[in-house]
Amino acid sequence: MKNFKQIRKHRRRYKFQRWFGKHFAWLVKAAKWTAHKLRFLRVLRFLNLFRYIKRLDWYIIKKFVGYYFFSIALIISIAIVFDFNENLAKFSENHAPMRAIIFDYYANFVPYFANLFSALFVFIAVILFTTKMAGNSEIIAILASGTSFKRLMRPYMLTCVMLSALSYSLSAYVIPHGTVIRQNFENMYKKKAKNTSADNVQLQVDRGVIAYIQHYDNTTKRGYGFCLDKFQEKKLVSHLTAMEVQYDTISDSKYHWKIRNWKVRKLQGMKEQITSGAEKDTLITMEPTDLVYSKGQQETFTSPELKEYINKQIDRGSGNVVQYQVEYHKRIAASFASFILTIIGLSLSAKKRKGGMGMALGVGLALSFGYIMLQTVSATFAIQANFPPMLAAWMPNILFAVVAYFCYRNAPR
């Protein structure tokens, strides 16, 4: 039997429901009318990707991602130990502070090398957990239930989409900023040789404008023996010379230079006008990065900066853009390598073998190291033997795509 308190609570709820139904019945009708008019939005449920991911897919995706990050943690930790042991004497000799070693060097060392060998880690992860699933007869049970090998590849490909997008985003936008910090640390405390000067540099800074510097020092951002010629219809119209040119590093915009002891000769037919001065601020469309190239400089540019730099150098007629083009295309090609190596790894390890994962892991590592070696060799061909940069970056993917096709055809059904 209900007490007085429960009856009073029930009565208040009943009175509220009557009041709401009396005053807001139009709100309910409006909601029903809106739902009827927007029934076409039911089509959007087909665009929900999670609708196609079943329990089996989540099971494989979790294993894939878990083994991927486990492989990175295992191999990178070993690499850090060997690198620290090798460079300990240099760190001590050059008095590198512990904070700089941790946050400037290794904090940028880890993401750089993890992303550099991302395809290798993907391949190792696929081999490890797929061989374990095959050894536990899970792959056999999945295929015996009527699931095709093509359907089995769905969670693998979905995971590759996520990992490839992550890898490209890091290599194109995040890691280049950390590479600048890491290279500065190496130049300061590991005393790596860095090219800081250039002699007899000549480049086209604008259409019909040729610049020449006899000697340029990148440390002080200062050049000597500067000359700037302007041509119109293949005729020289202006000739500027300066004893010294200095790049303005504190300016808010680019291309600010200060010239000292300058002289300008303007040619107008048979007439000549000469002006000179001690010091002058001017705009010249060139930067220190256009004058001096140091090893690994292309890795410090983000992909938009890299593309802008390549276009600018091509317009100037410069010939030292091949390594930049290879780096630009390699970032895109490397993100697709995960798909190819995943297909190879899945096809090799989906079959249950008596020897366990040893054979599959050995063959897989041999193929992955072959891919990395081919990537290095093709990049060298592009730089040294005038091989097309785009083809050099995609050559490993093309060859291993053929290998992946034959592995897929021979995979267990």
Side-chain angles (χ1 to χ4, degrees):
M1 186 174 179
K2 296 183 179 181
N3 55 28
F4 179 75
K5 186 176 180 181
Q6 292 174 334
I7 294 173
R8 185 172 60 179
K9 184 177 179 181
H10 179 74
R11 183 171 177 274
R12 287 176 179 173
R13 186 184 302 167
Y14 176 72
K15 288 178 66 177
F16 174 77
Q17 289 176 352
R18 287 191 61 186
W19 178 84
F20 184 82
K22 183 177 180 181
H23 291 84
F24 294 96
W26 60 271
L27 189 62
V28 178
K29 292 180 180 179
K32 290 181 178 179
W33 180 84
T34 305
H36 178 73
K37 293 297 182 182
L38 298 179
R39 63 185 184 276
F40 68 91
L41 292 178
R42 297 172 186 173
V43 181
L44 295 178
R45 71 176 185 270
F46 295 104
L47 301 178
N48 184 13
L49 295 179
F50 293 101
R51 181 173 179 268
Y52 301 99
I53 303 178
K54 307 301 180 184
R55 184 175 298 179
L56 173 64
D57 301 322
W58 283 117
Y59 175 72
I60 294 176
I61 289 172
K62 289 177 182 177
K63 280 186 171 292
F64 196 161
V65 174
Y67 273 84
Y68 172 75
F69 286 105
F70 172 75
S71 302
I72 290 178
L74 180 64
I75 297 177
I76 292 298
S77 59
I78 297 173
I80 289 175
V81 171
F82 279 98
D83 184 82
F84 183 77
N85 185 52
E86 181 182 355
N87 296 306
L88 180 59
K90 293 181 180 179
F91 293 158
S92 301
E93 181 182 349
N94 297 306
H95 306 288
M98 185 59 66
R99 181 181 179 85
I101 294 173
I102 296 173
F103 294 102
D104 292 347
Y105 183 63
Y106 284 110
N108 297 299
F109 172 91
V110 171
Y112 172 77
F113 281 93
N115 191 71
L116 182 64
F117 299 108
S118 178
L120 173 62
F121 296 135
V122 166
F123 192 80
I124 292 174
V126 171
I127 291 286
L128 287 176
F129 84 87
T130 307
T131 305
K132 189 174 181 180
M133 289 176 62
N136 296 334
S137 301
E138 295 179 56
I139 300 293
I140 297 174
I142 293 171
L143 297 177
S145 66
T147 303
S148 64
F149 188 79
K150 185 178 180 180
R151 171 63 182 84
L152 179 63
M153 289 178 61
R154 181 192 292 179
Y156 288 86
M157 295 296 103
L158 288 175
T159 310
C160 282
V161 169
M162 295 185 293
L163 295 180
S164 297
L166 175 63
S167 176
Y168 179 75
S169 300
L170 289 174
S171 63
Y173 299 101
V174 179
I175 291 178
H177 299 292
T179 303
V180 175
I181 301 173
R182 180 174 58 84
Q183 289 184 356
N184 291 336
F185 176 90
E186 290 176 347
N187 296 328
M188 185 178 297
Y189 298 110
K190 293 179 69 175
K191 301 299 181 182
K192 280 199 168 184
K194 185 179 180 181
N195 188 18
T196 58
S197 64
D199 294 315
N200 299 322
V201 180
Q202 184 174 356
L203 72 158
Q204 180 176 328
V205 297
D206 201 353
R207 181 168 296 180
V209 181
I210 307 297
Y212 172 81
I213 298 179
Q214 185 176 3
H215 177 77
Y216 177 76
D217 185 2
N218 195 47
T219 305
T220 59
K221 300 292 187 294
R222 183 175 297 176
Y224 304 93
F226 179 70
C227 174
L228 189 71
D229 295 331
K230 295 183 180 180
F231 294 86
Q232 288 182 359
E233 298 179 355
K234 300 182 180 181
K235 292 182 179 180
L236 181 66
V237 296
S238 175
H239 177 71
L240 182 147
T241 58
M243 295 292 292
E244 185 179 306
V245 59
Q246 173 78 48
Y247 185 69
D248 189 354
T249 57
I250 62 174
S251 176
D252 295 333
S253 57
K254 300 188 294 184
Y255 310 134
H256 280 262
W257 293 84
K258 183 177 290 185
I259 56 177
R260 298 184 178 94
N261 297 327
W262 57 274
K263 180 187 292 185
V264 179
R265 297 172 58 192
K266 291 186 179 180
L267 305 176
Q268 300 173 351
M270 300 299 294
K271 295 181 180 180
E272 182 179 8
Q273 181 181 357
I274 299 176
T275 55
S276 61
E279 188 172 291
K280 181 180 180 182
D281 291 330
T282 184
L283 288 174
I284 306 172
T285 52
M286 65 179 185
E287 296 179 89
T289 53
D290 302 329
L291 304 173
V292 178
Y293 170 75
S294 58
K295 186 178 180 181
Q297 181 176 308
Q298 67 274 15
E299 297 173 355
T300 62
F301 290 103
T302 63
S303 287
E305 292 172 347
L306 204 56
K307 188 174 182 180
E308 180 184 356
Y309 181 83
I310 291 169
N311 294 333
K312 184 172 66 175
Q313 293 298 96
I314 290 175
D315 292 338
R316 290 174 173 175
S318 177
N320 62 339
V321 295
V322 177
Q323 57 267 34
Y324 296 91
Q325 292 174 322
V326 171
E327 176 68 20
Y328 178 78
H329 293 294
K330 188 173 72 173
R331 292 177 182 180
I332 303 173
S335 60
F336 284 92
S338 300
F339 295 93
I340 298 171
L341 295 178
T342 296
I343 295 173
I344 297 175
L346 175 59
S347 303
L348 290 175
S349 57
K351 189 175 181 180
K352 187 175 182 180
R353 293 178 175 86
K354 291 183 179 180
M357 69 174 66
M359 184 65 181
L361 186 60
V363 174
L365 288 175
L367 287 172
S368 58
F369 283 119
Y371 175 86
I372 294 171
M373 185 184 69
L374 183 61
Q375 194 177 46
T376 305
V377 170
S378 61
T380 305
F381 279 162
I383 297 172
Q384 302 294 337
N386 295 326
F387 203 66
M390 185 175 182
L391 185 59
W394 283 91
M395 182 61 71
N397 286 1
I398 295 171
L399 295 180
F400 273 77
V402 177
V403 177
Y405 173 76
F406 284 105
C407 291
Y408 174 74
R409 291 295 300 270
N410 297 321
R413 303 293 172 180

